[in-house]
Amino acid sequence: MSNEATLHSQQEVMHGAAAHGHGHDDHEHHHEGGFISKYVFSMDHKTIAKQFLITGILWAIVGAFFSVLFRLQLGFPDTTFPWLESILGHWAKGGHISPEAYYALVTMHGTILVFFVLTAGLSGTFSNLLIPLQVGARDMASPFMNMLSYWFFFMASCVMMCSLFVQTGPASGGWTSYPPLSALGDASIGSKIGMDLWLTSMALFVVSQLLGGLNYISTILNMRTKGMSMTKMPLTIWSFFFTAVLGVLSFPVLLSGFILLLFDRHAGTSFYLSELFVAGKALSNEGGSAILYQHLFWFLGHPEVYIIILPAMGMVSEVMAVNARKPIFGYLAMVGSMFAIAILAFLVWAHHMFVTGLNPFLGAFFVLLTLLIAVPSAIKVFNWITTIWRGNIRFTPGMLFSIGFVSTFISGGLTGIWLGNSSIDIHLHDTYFVIAHFHIVMGVSAFLGLFAGVYHWFPKMFGRYLNNTLSYIHFWITLVGAYLIFWPMHYEGMAGMPRRYYDYSNWESFKQFGDLNHFISIVVIIVFAAQLLFVFNFFYSVFKGRKLTTTNPWNATTLEWTTPINPGHGNWPGEIPEVYRWPYDYSKDGVDFIPQTVPLSKDEEAAGGH
């Protein structure tokens, strides 16, 4: 569909809204219709973005709080905390977390942060907010499907939240839920109804992701404004596009894995079960393979880490160019490296399985592909550093978080080179080295990217600024704290300290890390407190923050800053602006910035556009 035709169809769609006066007056951005249609079952992509963000923030508090609880156990294995019993009840008798509760906390922490915060919270928020605004569309391709995408996520959240309150407790088979532990209800107390709720919640979550992803892809491909060719799209839009493609191709595989697991649990099948004994009694299941589940899980699980990190990469690229007052370095190389990451993401899943008895020849193939994925990542890092090199940098909170992202992405990514080698991985697999690696490169980096996005686009979302002082405190405690928590874990891992253990103090070989674990746990509590400071800053600023007085507070070139301060449903009151140039014309010909909507001069046309 040509851009002109798309534009025409968008204007037709909006004609009905215009007839009701929607969006024609800057101040009249209220929908007719009550609170429910405006804020609850809203089809406006900007409102849906806020719903994803606020739900994600609430989940992040829960997920992070769980990590504080299990770090208390790891850092202070011999201490009792009487207040724990009042929170956790019989899961913490006498103020001491029980082993069952510990595994449930670890499982829910991973599930919540990987899926509900860094997948739904990150992609759901910024893909929704920025895709229509930055490509010049009135809304998503299907606003109704977009609304459903949020409500499926919300239902998944409700089911997962319910699982925390059932008598036998939530799922506790690790965030990966490997069978046979997850396939047999009698295997552990966390394999009972909590596991069924976990699987149901995750199935609803996958539906949400598919509805969202299809919408993002079709909006980017079909609804760009006049002049917005693919090579004039900001890198944010490219990153959301590749993220959505990864999700649409990999999430259904996970869903099939979960459905087969539910069959094994309740329908007497043996997809993952074979020749098992429970409490000395032989089960009738035979012929299945627990390794099959690992293949299905990691076929999503590895693209998943890029589903989490790609949107952060795109946003960091955008924030860096805006705040360095320089064009992004190597635009096409950035797009190409994202494309390469998206393809390679599907070809490396078995590096999670080097210790499952995988054929060594196959292992070598996955080692090669795993190390190859470092190349596009290195190109991106080089381009980010070159973008800020000799730039006229403004250290806004968004910019600081972006620089922090590059720092953790480098330091966390380098340890991946060790883990990508199958022979070294045999020693390091399932130790704290793996925890340190993926928390820094995926957890911390993705959160820093998320925060960069929130600080940068908060004025667009709410028409107000966040408090700068609190933002800077939040940044420094988060970045320094993250390194103090996860850097020491590399040394524990190299010494062979296994992950997922409840108490290390009984081992002579790991006793030496008692003080270090103690230290890490204290830092975790401080960093958690800093995140609560951010949450306070966020909700306070939504209502009481300093108001925006200009439509373009950062002097950026992209389209979202051409809308009114509080855009109505439909984003632009009049015509959608036409695009003439790429999104990174900063410090060009003596001009600080040239928006995408400014026509090219004769000289620029002669030079070929840029």
Side-chain angles (χ1 to χ4, degrees):
M1 197 176 188
S2 76
N3 283 338
E4 282 83 316
T6 313
L7 186 60
H8 185 68
S9 67
Q10 286 174 0
Q11 284 166 345
E12 296 252 312
V13 168
M14 291 313 297
H15 187 69
H20 289 94
H22 287 340
H24 265 267
D25 173 1
D26 288 10
H27 302 291
E28 218 219 320
H29 58 275
H30 295 293
H31 253 291
E32 276 129 44
F35 177 84
I36 299 243
S37 63
K38 191 178 160 199
Y39 291 112
V40 184
F41 296 111
S42 172
M43 294 196 208
D44 182 351
H45 69 97
K46 299 180 292 299
T47 306
I48 295 171
K50 293 172 192 173
Q51 292 174 324
F52 269 109
L53 180 58
I54 289 166
T55 312
I57 287 175
L58 298 176
W59 267 124
I61 298 168
V62 175
F65 180 61
F66 285 174
S67 67
V68 171
L69 292 180
F70 67 69
R71 277 306 323 179
L72 285 177
Q73 164 59 32
L74 292 170
F76 311 92
D78 303 325
T79 315
T80 54
F81 300 94
W83 56 271
L84 275 177
E85 192 165 2
S86 54
I87 298 180
L88 298 174
H90 70 278
W91 295 102
K93 277 210 175 73
H96 209 81
I97 293 176
S98 70
E100 293 82 10
Y102 172 81
Y103 289 119
L105 288 170
V106 172
T107 301
M108 297 314 285
H109 163 76
T111 306
I112 289 167
L113 290 182
V114 170
F115 295 111
F116 287 58
V117 180
L118 292 176
T119 305
L122 187 55
S123 285
T125 300
F126 291 103
S127 299
N128 266 309
L129 177 71
L130 294 177
I131 288 173
L133 285 172
Q134 288 194 337
V135 302
R138 294 284 185 201
D139 205 318
M140 284 289 175
S142 168
F144 179 69
M145 238 167 77
N146 204 20
M147 176 185 82
L148 279 184
S149 143
Y150 172 72
W151 284 104
F152 268 102
F153 168 52
F154 187 79
M155 285 194 292
S157 297
C158 291
V159 175
M160 193 63 82
M161 190 55 87
C162 289
S163 80
L164 299 175
F165 297 99
V166 295
Q167 192 172 1
T168 50
S172 63
W175 75 280
T176 55
S177 287
Y178 284 167
L181 188 58
S182 60
L184 299 170
D186 297 335
S188 82
I189 191 164
S191 303
K192 298 191 189 315
I193 183 98
M195 182 60 71
D196 289 323
L197 289 169
W198 189 91
L199 290 166
T200 310
S201 168
M202 289 305 300
L204 290 167
F205 178 81
V206 171
V207 175
S208 153
Q209 290 303 300
L210 293 177
L211 288 170
L214 291 168
N215 225 341
Y216 306 151
I217 294 166
S218 42
T219 307
I220 292 169
L221 292 180
N222 295 327
M223 298 184 65
R224 302 191 303 281
T225 186
K226 190 173 177 194
M228 176 68 80
S229 64
M230 296 288 272
T231 48
K232 287 184 186 153
M233 299 194 312
L235 289 170
T236 36
I237 301 299
W238 275 109
S239 71
F240 300 145
F241 176 67
F242 287 126
T243 302
V245 170
L246 283 176
V248 166
L249 293 176
S250 62
F251 268 112
V253 178
L254 182 73
L255 184 59
S256 65
F258 286 160
I259 290 169
L260 298 184
L261 188 53
L262 278 168
F263 282 166
D264 272 12
R265 286 175 63 81
H266 299 296
T269 55
S270 300
F271 291 107
Y272 307 130
L273 300 172
S274 187
E275 298 162 0
L276 288 164
F277 288 79
V278 175
K281 198 167 89 239
L283 299 184
S284 59
N285 305 78
E286 53 182 307
S289 163
I291 300 297
L292 167 64
Y293 177 87
Q294 290 200 28
H295 278 293
L296 293 173
F297 183 89
W298 288 114
F299 190 80
L300 159 97
H302 205 83
E304 169 66 21
V305 305
Y306 296 104
I307 289 170
I308 286 173
I309 208 77
L310 276 172
M313 289 174 160
M315 294 193 302
V316 161
S317 306
E318 178 74 20
V319 174
M320 280 195 157
V322 172
N323 288 301
R325 311 312 291 161
K326 271 181 67 182
I328 196 85
F329 183 87
Y331 174 87
L332 285 174
M334 289 294 241
V335 174
S337 58
M338 279 196 268
F339 183 53
I341 286 173
I343 290 175
L344 285 167
F346 280 105
L347 303 175
V348 294
W349 79 90
H351 68 209
H352 297 269
M353 301 170 57
F354 285 151
V355 294
T356 57
L358 194 71
N359 179 319
F361 175 75
L362 254 185
F365 170 77
F366 281 101
V367 169
L368 173 69
L369 290 167
T370 300
L371 298 183
L372 261 183
I373 211 162
V375 176
S377 305
I379 291 171
K380 297 191 83 61
V381 166
F382 173 79
N383 287 3
W384 285 322
I385 293 171
T386 322
T387 298
I388 55 174
W389 171 250
R390 305 188 71 173
N392 186 12
I393 300 176
R394 302 182 303 203
F395 290 105
T396 63
M399 184 61 165
L400 283 176
F401 276 101
S402 298
I403 295 168
F405 168 91
V406 177
S407 158
T408 55
F409 188 71
I410 296 170
S411 53
L414 286 172
T415 53
I417 297 172
W418 275 259
L419 293 171
N421 283 296
S422 51
S423 49
I424 304 175
D425 184 67
I426 285 169
H427 170 64
L428 294 175
H429 190 87
D430 265 340
T431 68
Y432 266 67
F433 194 91
V434 175
I435 292 189
H437 160 72
F438 82 79
H439 273 86
I440 287 183
V441 79
M442 185 186 95
V444 176
S445 297
F447 264 111
L448 293 176
L450 174 66
F451 289 134
V454 171
Y455 282 112
H456 187 75
W457 280 288
F458 188 89
K460 184 76 260 164
M461 295 177 91
F462 297 102
R464 294 174 185 269
Y465 293 101
L466 286 150
N467 179 299
N468 260 1
T469 311
L470 293 180
S471 308
Y472 291 132
I473 295 170
H474 174 219
F475 169 73
W476 286 111
I477 296 180
T478 303
L479 184 72
V480 174
Y483 273 125
L484 290 178
I485 291 165
F486 296 114
W487 205 250
M489 289 186 189
H490 289 94
Y491 300 103
E492 298 183 329
M494 284 191 267
M497 187 161 135
R499 61 193 284 202
R500 299 199 180 102
Y501 280 28
Y502 169 72
D503 184 355
Y504 295 91
S505 57
N506 301 327
W507 273 272
E508 209 48 56
S509 46
F510 306 133
K511 258 193 191 150
Q512 55 177 324
F513 294 122
D515 289 343
L516 191 53
N517 281 334
H518 189 91
F519 169 76
I520 292 172
S521 294
I522 289 170
V523 181
V524 166
I525 294 166
I526 295 168
V527 173
F528 179 68
Q531 307 320 306
L532 294 180
L533 190 71
F534 163 75
V535 173
F536 167 76
N537 188 5
F538 180 90
F539 287 107
Y540 180 82
S541 301
V542 167
F543 300 106
K544 297 274 200 237
R546 188 162 53 90
K547 280 192 172 168
L548 216 58
T549 51
T550 161
T551 53
N552 191 354
W554 312 122
N555 289 343
T557 57
T558 42
L559 285 181
E560 76 269 31
W561 306 105
T562 61
T563 61
I565 290 177
N566 287 315
H569 193 168
N571 300 334
W572 287 271
E575 296 284 308
I576 299 181
E578 190 176 333
V579 167
Y580 298 95
R581 53 179 73 233
W582 76 319
Y584 299 107
D585 273 341
Y586 292 102
S587 308
K588 183 177 179 182
D589 305 332
V591 184
D592 182 34
F593 73 107
I594 312 174
Q596 284 187 279
T597 51
V598 175
L600 298 170
S601 66
K602 294 273 190 298
D603 298 344
E604 288 174 312
E605 276 174 12
H610 286 215

